[in-house]
Amino acid sequence: MKLWKLSDDSTKISRTYTARNFQAAIDSLNDIGKIAERENHHPDMHLTGYRNVEIVLFTHSLGGISLNDIAMAKMIDEEVGFNYSPKWLRENPAAKKE
């Protein structure tokens, strides 16, 4: 979970990235949405500037992070086919899948 960050108030985890283009951003959001529906655990998802994506996970009923959020983050990392911007990928080498 090296790409996820803990919020300043420690109540949320988030991941941001820049997709290669608008379609790549939408494709990744759709993939995340499918996981969310399957798991019945829905993140906040933000798309700005046509390809900048932020995914925010927390358990609304708790007002904080639960094991479900950690599990969901791992599923996103493992199952989503991210198509990153080449520049963003150079600046974030931890995103390269091994």
Side-chain angles (χ1 to χ4, degrees):
M1 290 189 37
K2 50 193 166 190
L3 297 174
W4 293 86
K5 306 286 186 223
L6 185 64
S7 65
D8 290 340
D9 62 2
S10 299
T11 62
K12 300 173 183 174
I13 56 173
S14 65
R15 177 178 174 176
T16 60
Y17 58 93
T18 301
R20 181 177 292 273
N21 53 40
F22 179 76
Q23 188 62 56
I26 292 299
D27 290 345
S28 66
L29 291 172
N30 284 332
D31 288 349
I32 293 166
K34 289 174 187 173
I35 297 167
E37 282 296 298
R38 182 187 75 212
E39 299 299 321
N40 196 29
H41 193 65
H42 303 92
D44 291 345
M45 301 188 292
H46 309 275
L47 174 61
T48 58
Y50 83 88
R51 63 186 187 137
N52 299 308
V53 179
E54 180 182 29
I55 309 301
V56 181
L57 287 165
F58 68 103
T59 300
H60 300 270
S61 61
L62 297 176
I65 302 167
S66 71
L67 291 176
N68 286 342
D69 301 305
I70 303 301
M72 183 73 171
K74 288 179 180 178
M75 286 181 240
I76 290 169
D77 286 348
E78 292 169 1
E79 297 179 34
V80 174
F82 295 101
N83 187 359
Y84 300 116
S85 154
K87 180 182 177 196
W88 185 89
L89 194 54
R90 280 192 306 275
E91 294 169 352
N92 297 273
K96 290 182 182 177
K97 293 200 176 187
E98 298 173 10

